[in-house]
Amino acid sequence: MIRLGAERLDRIVAVGAHCDDIAIGAGGTLLALCRARPGLRVDALVLSGGGSEREQEEQAALAAFCPGAELHLTVDKLPDGRLPVHWDEAKAAVEELRARTEPDLVLAPRTDDAHQDHRGLAQLVPTAFRDHLVLGYEIVKWDGDLGRPTAYQPLSPEIAEDKVRLLQEHYPSQRHRPWYDREAFLGLARIRGIECHARYAEAFAVTKCTLDLGD
């Protein structure tokens, strides 16, 4: 197995179609990054939920998932489930985010996610972040769209447990969902951990990356 690390990682971008997408898909990775690199800048964009209780949940949640980081979060007001017919507004939001940051890493949904909002955002990200490493996170749901990831971030048992605890603590509006529970989150993390010889892990799709392996 090839292991590549980021020698320089000062700024990251995290984007989600809905409040809780980022935390579900990459919350453990954010915890690991922010704990290892105090002062890391995190620019986060969520396309829907603005002005509602979900925005308040997201503000508190991402602050907890990014301890010690310089967090800048924008939550827009696009209607849930309607991104394809609000393409121009979504594209403008992503381009505005790009204009104010030069990240070392982008965390975004996967392009083959079955949810139209996730998939649409995933398609927009590389049009704005053309020369950046984009990791496409996965979100477990009823669609059965989990695939074969190409990149893994191992998680210590402590971070995996902290991720689940923070998800339960900060998103009370989602607790009624049948898939939103400890077993689902830790179960997927355990499977991805097996695949990369770790106890737990988060997994990502990488569409394109450029290697710098020496002269």
Side-chain angles (χ1 to χ4, degrees):
M1 177 178 293
I2 298 173
R3 296 181 180 271
L4 298 176
E7 294 182 2
R8 176 183 172 274
L9 209 164
D10 300 320
R11 292 173 174 245
I12 68 173
V13 156
V15 298
H18 316 101
C19 297
D20 79 16
D21 284 356
I22 295 170
I24 291 173
T29 298
L30 284 174
L31 281 171
L33 283 170
C34 292
R35 288 176 180 177
R37 295 173 171 83
L40 178 73
R41 178 177 174 124
V42 179
D43 288 281
L45 169 67
V46 179
L47 293 181
S48 64
S52 71
E53 66 171 2
R54 299 223 61 199
E55 179 177 5
Q56 298 174 19
E57 289 180 345
E58 190 74 345
Q59 291 278 0
L62 288 191
F65 275 102
C66 301
E70 180 186 344
L71 174 64
H72 300 264
L73 170 63
T74 300
V75 182
D76 281 345
K77 298 182 179 181
L78 272 65
D80 187 355
R82 298 292 185 269
L83 188 149
V85 296
H86 292 270
W87 190 260
D88 289 345
E89 298 100 310
K91 185 174 178 61
V94 172
E95 290 177 344
E96 181 181 342
L97 173 64
R98 173 67 184 95
R100 66 175 185 263
T101 187
E102 183 63 54
D104 304 303
L105 172 66
V106 179
L107 300 170
R110 298 176 299 125
T111 55
D112 56 352
D113 193 298
H115 194 296
Q116 67 271 17
D117 291 354
H118 301 172
R119 186 171 62 252
L121 177 56
Q123 292 167 349
L124 281 171
V125 166
T127 69
F129 296 91
R130 293 180 176 272
D131 299 312
H132 303 81
L133 175 61
V134 179
L135 298 181
Y137 55 74
E138 56 184 357
I139 297 177
V140 63
K141 50 190 177 298
W142 74 271
D143 303 84
D145 62 351
L146 296 178
R148 298 184 63 181
T150 51
Y152 298 84
Q153 171 59 50
L155 304 177
S156 68
E158 177 188 7
I159 286 182
E161 290 284 355
D162 284 348
K163 173 183 175 176
V164 173
R165 176 180 57 80
L166 292 175
L167 285 172
Q168 293 291 345
E169 178 180 337
H170 287 288
Y171 295 104
S173 67
Q174 303 304 298
R175 292 176 190 154
H176 69 283
R177 299 186 181 277
W179 54 267
Y180 196 92
D181 60 30
R182 171 186 172 83
E183 289 179 301
F185 298 133
L186 273 187
L188 180 58
R190 180 68 186 109
I191 291 171
R192 297 316 190 196
I194 291 170
E195 293 173 351
C196 68
H197 301 295
R199 182 64 185 173
Y200 299 107
E202 286 178 339
F204 302 90
V206 180
T207 302
K208 183 190 297 184
C209 72
T210 301
L211 303 178
D212 181 5
L213 302 178
D215 297 332

